[in-house]
C-alpha cells in the first residue's frame, strides 16, 4: 500500500499527516500504521500520525494517533499544523474555519504572509473540563483536583488535573530542569487513578505571564511540546493563583513558545507556529 504523507511539526511536536480528503486508509489498519510510521528506523520517525478528513460538524476533521498506536482525543500542536495544511492546500479558502476533533469543534484563525504561507495559527480551544470524573480521575465524583496531594513512588506531589478533551495532570516544580520527567512521567501516565491514562506535565512559574513547561505524553513519552498540555498548564497555574485569568501567558516549551490565554468567558486561546518538514510516499 502506498500512502502519500506530509510530516509537520508544532514546536518540535511532529506527526505524519495523512490527507483523507484525497486518500483512503482502512480503519482497521490505523493503529498499526501509526506505530509503523512513527518508528525512526523502519518508518519515517514521529510522535504519531494525524488524519485530516472531511467532517460532519466542521469544515475539517482531525484524528490523532500516538506513537504507540493509541488514539488521542485532541492535539493542540496537531490543530495548528492541520490549520496550516488545509489553508495552504486549498481545502479551505477562508482564514477562519472550524476543525472537529474527537473531543469537540474548535475555531482556527490563520495568519498568512505575502507568499500565502501560514506563519502562525490561533485556535479557540474551547473550555477546560475540571470535574474529576470527566478527566477521568478516580476519587470523589463532583470534586475538582486542585493542588491535591498525590503519592507516587516514594514522593508526594501536589497535582492539578485538567481535561482539554484529553487528560492532563499538572505538577508545579521549583526548577524545570529538575522536573522528574523521565522517572515519574511514565509512572504517572499509567497510574491506575487515571483509568484512561494521562499526559503528565511539570511547570515552573516564572511570573504571572510566563511558565516553563515539560511534558511526558500519554502514548508517546517525552515530546518537545504539547499544545493541549500548555493550555492545561495555564489553567492549573490560574487555579493555583499563580497567573491571572484573562491575561496572556507565554509558555516556554522544550521546542519553543506558545501564547495561551484563558479568557473570562472560559475559552482558552492558543497561538503559535506550525511548520512543514517534508512530504512523500510511505510504503506500508
Ligand atoms: N501532542 C498533543 C497531544 C497528543 C495526544 C496525547 N498524547 C493524548 O494521548 O492525549 C498536543 O499538542 O496537544
Amino acid at each position: 500500500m502506498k500512502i502519500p504523507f506530509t510530516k509537520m511539526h508544532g514546536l518540535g511536536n511532529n506527526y505524519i499527516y495523512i490527507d483523507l480528503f484525497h486518500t483512503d486508509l482502512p480503519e482497521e489498519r490505523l493503529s498499526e500504521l501509526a506505530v509503523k510510521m512513527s518508528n525512526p528506523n523502519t518508518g519515517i520517525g514521529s510522535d504519531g500520525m494525524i488524519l485530516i478528513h472531511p467532517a460532519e460538524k466542521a469544515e475539517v476533521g482531525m484524528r490523532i494517533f500516538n506513537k504507540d498506536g493509541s488514539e488521542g482525543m485532541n492535539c493542540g500542536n496537531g490543530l495548528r499544523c492541520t490549520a496550516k495544511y488545509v489553508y495552504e492546500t486549498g481545502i479551505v479558502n477562508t482564514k477562519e474555519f472550524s476543525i472537529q476533533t474527537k473531543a469537540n469543534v474548535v475555531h482556527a484563525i490563520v495568519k498568512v504572509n505575502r507568499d500565502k504561507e501560514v506563519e502562525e495559527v490561533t485556535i479557540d480551544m474551547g473550555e477546560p473540563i475540571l470535574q474529576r470524573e470527566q478527566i477521568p480521575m478516580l476519587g470523589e465524583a463532583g470534586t475538582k483536583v486542585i493542588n491535591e496531594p498525590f503519592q507516587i513512588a516514594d514522593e508526594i506531589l501536589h497535582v492539578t488535573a485538567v481535561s482539554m478533551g484529553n487528560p492532563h495532570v499538572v505538577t508545579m516544580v521549583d526548577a524545570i530542569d529538575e522536573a522528574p520527567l523521565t522517572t515519574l512521567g511514565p509512572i504517572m501516565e499509567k497510574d491506575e487513578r487515571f483509568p484512561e491514562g494521562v499526559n503528565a506535565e511539570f511547570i515552573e512559574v516564572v511570573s504571572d505571564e510566563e511558565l516553563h513547561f515539560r511534558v511526558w505524553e500519554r502514548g508517546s513519552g517525552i515530546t518537545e511540546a504539547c499544545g493541549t498540555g500548555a493550555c492545561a498548564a495555564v489553567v492549573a497555574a490560574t487555579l493555583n493563583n499563580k497567573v491571572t485569568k484573562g491575561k496572556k501567558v507565554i509558555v516556554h516549551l522544550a521546542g519553543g513558545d506558545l501564547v495561551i490565554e484563558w479568557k473570562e468567558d472560559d475559552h482558552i486561546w492558543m497561538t503559535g507556529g506550525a511548520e512543514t518538514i517534508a512530504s512523500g510516499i510511505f510504503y506500508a
Side-chain angles (χ1 to χ4, degrees), residues 6-8 13-17 47-50 64 75 217:
T6 301
K7 184 173 178 179
M8 302 181 82
N13 187 202
N14 60 94
Y15 294 95
I16 308 304
Y17 290 77
D47 294 325
M49 174 181 85
I50 287 185
I64 148 92
C75 179
E217 279 197 39

Side-chain angles (χ1 to χ4, degrees), residues 1-7 15-19 23-26 29-46 48-51 67 278-284:
M1 187 177 188
K2 293 180 187 175
I3 307 170
F5 75 88
T6 301
K7 184 173 178 179
Y15 294 95
I16 308 304
Y17 290 77
I18 313 292
D19 173 354
T23 313
D24 281 332
L25 282 187
R29 289 201 61 194
L30 297 180
S31 173
E32 167 214 332
L33 286 171
V35 174
K36 278 194 173 151
M37 287 178 187
S38 300
N39 188 309
N41 299 313
T42 55
I44 304 164
S46 66
M49 174 181 85
I50 287 185
L51 308 178
K67 208 183 210 169
S279 57
I281 303 289
F282 182 72
Y283 295 86

Side-chain angles (χ1 to χ4, degrees), residues 13 15 64 66 72 74-78 166-167 199 217-218 225-229:
N13 187 202
Y15 294 95
I64 148 92
N66 293 310
N74 203 357
C75 179
N77 293 318
N166 58 348
N199 298 286
E217 279 197 39
R218 174 176 72 169
C226 178
T228 50

Side-chain angles (χ1 to χ4, degrees), residues 10 13-15 47 50 62 64-68 70-80 125 164-168 189 196-199 201 215-221 223 225-231 253 258 270:
N13 187 202
N14 60 94
Y15 294 95
D47 294 325
I50 287 185
M62 183 193 89
I64 148 92
F65 290 79
N66 293 310
K67 208 183 210 169
D68 68 358
S70 61
E71 184 166 9
M73 302 290 283
N74 203 357
C75 179
N77 293 318
L79 283 166
R80 296 196 316 282
M125 298 287 287
M164 290 302 306
N166 58 348
H168 296 272
E189 178 196 354
E196 293 176 11
V198 77
N199 298 286
E201 284 91 18
V215 63
W216 178 278
E217 279 197 39
R218 174 176 72 169
S220 294
T223 62
C226 178
T228 50
C231 296
L253 304 100
L258 284 174
M270 169 190 64

